[in-house]
Amino acid sequence: MIDTRLSLMEAISFRRTVNARYNGGIIKLAPHLMFERHGDLFVSALNLTKAWRSPEERRLGQFKLAGLEVTELLEEVFEPLPDFEAAAPREDDTLLLTV
C-alpha cells in the first residue's frame, strides 16, 4: 500500500509525476507544492491528463489529500510551470514543501 502523503513529498522533492485516484478516476499529476489549510493537507499540482486549450492556460489545481490516493510514483520528471511561485495559495495557509 502506498502512503499518499509520503509519495507526494517524494514527488515534489524530486519533481516526479504520480498517478492518483481522485473523484473515482485516475489522473496524472505534477505536484508543485504541499500546504496545510485549517488542519487539512493539500497539494497544488498540474493535472497532466486534463485537456488544456493551450500551454498558456495550464494552471495548478488544489487537491485535498483526504480525497486523493496516489496509486503510482512515476519515474517521469517534470519542469515546474514557468509562472510558478513557491508560495502558499492563501495568506493563512502554511507552506510545507515546494519544488
Side-chain angles (χ1 to χ4, degrees):
M1 180 135 201
I2 295 176
D3 183 315
T4 294
R5 181 180 47 88
L6 293 177
S7 294
L8 287 169
M9 291 174 77
E10 183 175 345
I12 292 167
S13 297
F14 297 105
R15 297 181 179 183
R16 291 174 58 190
T17 59
V18 298
N19 282 335
R21 184 177 313 282
Y22 190 72
N23 287 338
I26 299 291
I27 57 177
K28 185 177 181 181
L29 299 175
H32 284 53
L33 65 88
M34 185 179 290
F35 65 95
E36 182 179 357
R37 177 181 292 158
H38 306 296
D40 293 315
L41 290 177
F42 288 81
V43 66
S44 290
L46 176 63
N47 183 348
L48 297 169
T49 54
K50 184 173 180 169
W52 301 98
R53 285 182 256 177
S54 69
E56 295 79 27
E57 183 186 63
R58 299 182 320 155
R59 63 186 178 282
L60 300 179
Q62 297 175 8
F63 301 88
K64 190 172 184 177
L65 262 66
L68 187 69
E69 176 190 352
V70 171
T71 59
E72 185 178 11
L73 180 62
L74 304 170
E75 293 297 323
E76 179 183 339
V77 296
F78 68 90
E79 287 298 319
L81 291 175
D83 60 347
F84 173 66
E85 294 182 28
R90 296 184 187 168
E91 190 175 298
D92 59 337
D93 294 341
T94 303
L95 181 62
L96 301 175
L97 185 64
T98 186
V99 291

